[in-house]
Amino acid sequence: GEQIIVKDFADKLRKNPNEIIMKLIQMGIMAAINQEIDFEAANKIALEYEIEIHKKEEERVEEVDVYIAKDEAKDLRSRPPVVTVMGHVDHGKTSLLDAIRKTKVTEREAGGITQHIGASEVEIDKKKIVFLDTPGHEAFTAMRARGAKVTDIAILVVAADDGVMPQTIEAINHAKAAKVPVIVAINKIDKPGANPDRVKQELADHGMIIEEYGGEVIAVPVSALKGENIDNLLEMILLVAEMEELKANPNREAIGVVIEAKLDKGRGPVATVLIQNGTLRVGDSVVVGNTSGRVRAMINDKSRNVSVAKPSTAIEITGLSEVPDAGDQLLAVDDDRTARDIVANRINRIKEAQLKASQKISLDALYQQM
Ligand code: GDP
Ligand code: MG
């Protein structure tokens, strides 16, 4: 079955077997060095080291192509929060993002025409917040399907004149499943029919208890249209971010996730990448999903060329040989050759799996005929 001996597993992770055994004990699994553990247990431990493992075809546990070293606490620095906006259609997600961008553009870029890269940064009291433009729902489904966690905080927009609707509930469930803290923006408070109290009651009915009802969920009444109370919302985001103690190690090779990607006529493949850990630099060799390349240029959300992207920065990169998929992981590696090798291996693995699958199908078909 899908078992691996503790010692072999430790070897593959390049860890001390005793350390693995200790971790197993913490998980309530008593296993000696020569005993077998199942894939599930192995995977849990690998995740703690931020190492990806896969079942082999014959269901043996195998490490994947890139080791992602775990950071030591002393190397971690606080990083800005990455926020998505979710909510029912027409409740004002787009308007809220626009309002946020308008109130908090820095003087430098005021008046400048910026090209959308799928994410934007705002700064208040010298603190940054990164907003993803992708509707939260899509981001959550696409990214979570790949096991990527992109957002630190979700803003749930609920129109005060409409209340909790099906997509509101869906958003609540997404955030719950991803264990992402939610801040509710009760929007459209300028409207005559606005009833914020009803919204709070309806949210409570769905397990989202607002602070004033004795719960822990922060709710901020806003008007995206009139730009009312947006500052307050931003401050609440920073407050929640502080409680989350978001950290990353800026002094390591970059790890990121593709937010969106496309083929540009002039520039070739372009991908908006959120740097989640480490620092990405122009000239770095990268693996992105099943493609690789060397970062030729990076453009930030203000359409400016930058040479360095630190944790919690969204940048558009060029220099990849193909267009990656949203949700693909970016990893900076030592050199182009390493990057190409890793991708070649990945593609081989996919081809092998496809071949196996097609052989199985034809065999099944054969059996059916007999
Ligand atoms: P989305 O579908 O969630 O992105 O919603 P939109 O941002 O496109 O907003 C839907 C409609 O609601 C638009 O006509 C907006 O102008 C309007 N709207 C958004 N926010 C407000 C608000 O605070 N007050 C009022 N009165 N209308 C708003
Ligand atoms: Mg919209």
Side-chain angles (χ1 to χ4, degrees), residues 64-317:
V64 86
D65 41 23
V66 189
Y67 284 107
I68 302 175
K70 195 176 157 90
D71 293 302
E72 287 183 47
K74 67 171 172 55
D75 298 324
L76 296 175
R77 303 285 175 272
S78 64
R79 62 168 179 84
V82 179
V83 178
T84 48
V85 177
M86 310 172 92
H88 196 70
V89 65
D90 283 343
H91 278 200
K93 298 179 291 294
T94 304
S95 307
L96 185 65
L97 280 169
D98 286 346
I100 288 166
R101 273 192 287 260
K102 260 182 227 152
T103 51
K104 286 298 165 195
V105 281
T106 54
E107 295 95 64
R108 272 185 300 128
E109 50 157 327
I113 299 156
T114 55
Q115 173 196 335
H116 275 245
I117 66 159
S120 44
E121 265 174 29
V122 297
E123 208 177 295
I124 41 166
D125 307 332
K126 301 221 163 89
K127 289 180 188 136
K128 269 186 8 172
I129 305 173
V130 180
F131 286 90
L132 300 184
D133 293 345
T134 336
H137 302 260
E138 274 175 49
F140 270 94
T141 7
M143 310 283 170
R144 281 196 66 241
R146 287 146 189 271
K149 191 189 169 196
V150 268
T151 25
D152 302 307
I153 297 168
I155 305 299
L156 178 63
V157 182
V158 189
D161 62 337
D162 204 23
V164 170
M165 297 298 278
Q167 284 168 281
T168 316
I169 298 165
E170 200 184 293
I172 293 172
N173 292 334
H174 276 307
K176 263 189 203 155
K179 296 197 173 72
V180 170
V182 175
I183 298 173
V184 179
I186 302 180
N187 191 31
K188 307 200 188 186
I189 50 159
D190 60 287
K191 279 191 129 181
N195 189 347
D197 284 331
R198 199 191 74 191
V199 173
K200 290 173 194 168
Q201 186 54 58
E202 288 172 355
L203 285 168
D205 294 342
H206 290 93
M208 294 267 297
I209 322 284
I210 305 299
E211 278 181 323
E212 65 185 89
Y213 286 24
E216 287 179 349
V217 181
I218 296 172
V220 185
V222 297
S223 168
L225 194 71
K226 308 229 148 138
E228 257 173 62
N229 223 13
I230 304 297
D231 279 10
N232 192 225
L233 177 65
L234 295 175
E235 263 153 38
M236 290 305 147
I237 294 171
L238 287 176
L239 186 80
V240 172
E242 213 157 282
M243 295 190 295
E244 294 290 303
E245 296 185 32
L246 307 167
K247 293 204 160 92
N249 174 7
N251 300 310
R252 63 166 293 155
E253 67 282 12
I255 303 172
V257 60
V258 175
I259 303 300
E260 52 184 55
K262 61 179 185 218
L263 188 63
D264 183 277
K265 267 190 199 147
R267 296 182 295 158
V270 292
T272 295
V273 176
L274 172 72
I275 302 303
Q276 298 179 296
N277 201 358
T279 297
L280 187 67
R281 293 185 170 80
V282 167
D284 279 355
S285 300
V286 292
V287 174
V288 185
N290 294 328
T291 188
S292 67
R294 190 188 289 184
V295 180
R296 193 166 62 222
M298 299 198 285
I299 294 172
N300 71 7
D301 65 314
K302 320 284 191 301
S303 301
R304 282 170 206 275
N305 271 292
V306 292
S307 52
V308 172
K310 298 202 157 163
S312 292
T313 309
I315 30 87
E316 196 180 73
I317 67 167

Side-chain angles (χ1 to χ4, degrees), residues 52 54 64-68 286-292 328-331 333 338-354:
E52 219 185 306
H54 289 284
V64 86
D65 41 23
V66 189
Y67 284 107
I68 302 175
V286 292
V287 174
V288 185
N290 294 328
T291 188
S292 67
D328 277 349
Q329 190 177 47
L330 171 143
L331 296 165
V333 294
T338 309
R340 279 196 304 266
D341 283 352
I342 291 167
V343 169
N345 279 334
R346 287 183 180 180
I347 289 169
N348 268 341
R349 267 211 304 268
I350 293 167
K351 280 190 185 149
E352 271 169 29
Q354 279 170 346

